[in-house]
Amino acid sequence: MTDEAQTHAHSDVYALMEQWLAERDGEAIAAHVVDWSPTEVASLLGTLEADDAAFVFRLLPEAVAGEAFPFLPMDLQEALVDAWSHSKDTLPQLTRLLNNLPPDDRTALLESLDGEVTQRMLALLSPEERRVALQLLGYPEDSVGRLMTPDYVAIRPGWTVEQALGHLRRYGKSSETISVVYVVDRKWRLLDDLRIHELLLAEPDSTIEALMDERFIALHASDDQEAAVQTFRESDRVALPVTDAGGVLIGIVTIDDVLDVAQEEATEDIQKIGGLEALDMPYIDTPFGTLIQKRARWLVVLFVGEMFTATALGFFTEEIAKAQVLAILMPLIIASGGNSGSQAASLMIRALAVGEVGVRDWWRVMRREILSGLTLGLILGSVGMLRISLWQAATQQYGPHWALIALTVGLSLVGVVLWGTITGSMLPFLLRRLGQDPATSSALFVATLVDVVGLVIYFLFARWILMGTLL
């Protein structure tokens, strides 16, 4: 069946699924879904309500169900486990599913469950699988140890290539990946890693030691998961070994798990940049009270910050009373400073996140952003002056001192945009230096900081230029 025909057939199943589920026609569902790939099955189940998904999942052959389960959304995994754990009919199937899950996927599931449910799930595991699960759960929550799996293939340096391939054929089926094999000594200290093509292309009687160059990259079980994402990005590997403090190989981390971490981190950063605390679960599943709490905290902080803007404005009431045109143009000036600061903050947060710059590069960035701020300020200042000139020519709105007003706006825009750019670019570095997440310096937070100083810059230029005329 061609891909186009297969897609069409799947669409037909989706269209009929509601009817089959209403009639609980398990025979029809199983006949159409049984040959789908694990990802296709997971995609289908993700569109269903939890009860319907549980019904369809029970119809799948155990091998297909086991392969599809890790691809399901975490909330659906939790719902299926909870539903099956309360039924004697499905408990044996749940037991086999948990015991056959890859250790890293099982760890992700267990750590997402309530403590009581996790204990019940651990009781269903075999002694060996329970030992592995408890070992992985014993690592810190955001550490590499929580991501790793002990399912890998290890070989000895004294073996021949033929021996190594025989070992791979024997034990490779239970490995998370066979793209890379790991060379260890008798104490299981990691000596090297070899890609599978190196073994396949070598002479059968060559020794593994002859293929080794001892240039390998390894993660430590205690490393932060964000560090693992960066290491994968730099090393271009599908899997990386994980060692303990003594260099002993204790597991591997594969790219699929790291991609999940990268997605979670990106989501968290985007939420923080948007001016709220990161959500711990999908938006639709977050309780209303929790959602309000996480949004309200930052809004209160930003509101208090804007109070300083109002306070700063209070110092210039006399100037505003004498020249109301200053109040009319004020939003134009302040918004430009906030926008430039938000731009700079977003650029630096992303650059720090992907490792394009580090804390030590702050001065290089500062010099670059000073030039950028001046250039952008001059561009906006010119546009602002041109706008006042055109409006004056058309409406005479600004009176006889329009040229001085235009100069005030132009210079203020240069100063405010420069300040916004410097603040937005440097605040992420400061937060990183203090051990905080740079994403906390959200665009809204930077804009609030820039507003206060921007007002002062604007009215100081107004006093200097307009004193003796409008003021």
Side-chain angles (χ1 to χ4, degrees):
M1 184 182 294
T2 65
D3 291 342
E4 184 177 351
Q6 188 177 42
T7 301
H8 181 69
H10 290 178
S11 299
D12 291 342
V13 172
Y14 274 77
L16 293 169
M17 185 61 65
E18 185 175 348
Q19 176 186 338
W20 291 339
L21 287 171
E23 299 170 354
R24 279 300 187 255
D25 190 349
E27 199 171 313
I29 296 173
H32 286 84
V33 176
V34 67
D35 294 327
W36 286 17
S37 70
T39 53
E40 291 169 337
V41 171
S43 179
L44 169 65
L45 295 177
T47 65
L48 305 178
E49 296 294 331
D51 291 344
D52 292 336
F55 176 75
V56 175
F57 200 75
R58 284 193 63 187
L59 302 173
L60 301 173
E62 286 193 10
V64 177
E67 292 179 7
F69 189 82
F71 294 102
L72 297 176
M74 187 57 66
D75 58 332
L76 183 53
Q77 290 187 21
E78 295 172 12
L80 290 174
V81 167
D82 184 61
W84 285 10
S85 65
H86 290 94
S87 171
K88 291 183 179 180
D89 295 335
T90 54
L91 199 58
Q93 188 175 359
L94 175 60
T95 300
R96 290 190 293 272
L97 175 67
L98 289 173
N99 278 280
N100 292 328
L101 272 181
D104 50 344
D105 294 321
R106 185 173 57 213
T107 301
L109 171 64
L110 292 176
E111 70 179 357
S112 71
L113 300 172
D114 292 336
E116 181 183 347
V117 180
T118 298
Q119 291 302 319
R120 294 209 315 267
M121 297 306 101
L122 288 171
L124 299 177
L125 299 177
S126 66
E128 175 61 23
E129 293 298 332
R130 189 182 306 120
R131 182 190 65 78
V132 172
L134 290 172
Q135 179 187 4
L136 296 180
L137 287 170
Y139 290 102
E141 185 174 350
D142 293 320
S143 68
V144 168
R146 286 288 186 98
L147 295 178
M148 72 179 183
T149 173
D151 295 338
Y152 57 88
V153 177
I155 56 179
R156 305 288 186 193
W159 292 0
T160 64
V161 169
E162 187 174 6
Q163 286 177 302
L165 290 175
H167 183 78
L168 187 62
R169 281 190 289 269
R170 183 176 180 183
Y171 296 102
K173 290 182 180 179
S174 60
S175 175
E176 182 84 0
T177 178
I178 58 171
S179 298
V180 184
V181 293
Y182 302 94
V183 186
V184 296
D185 62 17
R186 295 192 178 276
K187 294 184 178 180
W188 283 87
R189 283 193 293 263
L190 181 63
L191 303 177
D192 205 353
D193 58 2
L194 298 175
R195 302 196 187 198
I196 187 64
H197 73 264
E198 296 180 74
L199 295 178
L200 295 175
L201 297 177
E203 295 296 330
D205 57 351
S206 300
T207 64
I208 297 301
E209 191 172 14
L211 302 179
M212 293 167 51
D213 60 11
E214 299 184 3
R215 292 184 299 176
F216 62 89
I217 300 172
L219 301 169
H220 295 287
S222 59
D223 286 347
D224 187 86
Q225 292 178 2
E226 287 190 53
V229 174
Q230 184 62 28
T231 303
F232 265 91
R233 186 181 292 115
E234 294 171 350
S235 63
D236 191 29
R237 292 293 184 104
V238 297
L240 285 175
V242 181
T243 62
D244 64 11
V248 174
L249 180 63
I250 55 177
I252 64 171
V253 172
T254 51
I255 188 66
D256 59 319
D257 297 310
V258 171
L259 287 175
D260 291 338
V261 173
Q263 180 178 349
E264 292 173 6
E265 294 296 335
T267 300
E268 181 179 315
D269 286 348
I270 289 171
Q271 289 171 347
K272 287 182 178 179
I273 290 172
L276 71 154
E277 293 183 30
L279 302 180
D280 300 321
M281 58 185 72
Y283 165 79
I284 204 68
D285 298 320
T286 302
F288 182 76
T290 302
L291 189 63
I292 294 300
Q293 181 183 28
K294 288 184 175 290
R295 295 173 71 171
R297 287 177 182 173
W298 265 112
L299 285 176
V300 170
V301 171
L302 293 171
F303 182 73
V304 171
E306 290 295 351
M307 287 181 181
F308 290 101
T309 304
T311 302
L313 190 59
F315 286 107
F316 301 103
T317 53
E318 185 178 343
E319 285 81 357
I320 294 175
K322 291 181 179 178
Q324 293 184 4
V325 68
L326 295 178
I328 296 172
L329 295 171
M330 184 170 60
L332 179 73
I333 309 297
I334 302 308
S336 298
N339 291 339
S340 66
S342 299
Q343 279 188 343
S346 299
L347 287 172
M348 288 306 105
I349 290 169
R350 184 58 182 165
L352 285 167
V354 301
E356 293 177 355
V357 296
V359 175
R360 295 181 179 179
D361 298 315
W362 73 271
W363 178 238
R364 290 176 58 196
V365 173
M366 169 78 89
R367 287 182 298 177
R368 189 181 182 90
E369 288 303 306
I370 288 174
L371 291 175
S372 297
L374 286 172
T375 304
L376 294 171
L378 287 170
I379 292 172
L380 293 183
S382 300
V383 173
M385 294 176 70
L386 178 62
R387 187 264 192 197
I388 291 174
S389 301
L390 292 176
W391 254 249
Q392 174 65 18
T395 66
Q396 302 296 311
Q397 177 181 356
Y398 298 106
H401 303 295
W402 66 270
L404 294 178
I405 294 173
L407 181 61
T408 300
V409 168
L411 292 179
S412 296
L413 280 168
V414 173
V416 172
V417 170
L418 176 60
W419 169 248
T421 302
I422 293 173
T423 303
S425 61
M426 290 297 104
L427 193 56
F429 284 97
L430 177 61
L431 289 171
R432 174 61 65 84
R433 183 68 181 85
L434 296 175
Q436 302 298 314
D437 188 346
T440 305
S441 62
S442 66
L444 298 177
F445 188 47
V446 170
T448 303
L449 290 176
V450 173
D451 283 355
V452 179
V453 179
L455 277 174
V456 176
I457 293 173
Y458 176 43
F459 282 103
L460 287 179
F461 271 117
R463 278 183 179 176
W464 174 47
I465 297 172
L466 300 176
M467 187 63 68
T469 54
L470 289 179
L471 300 181

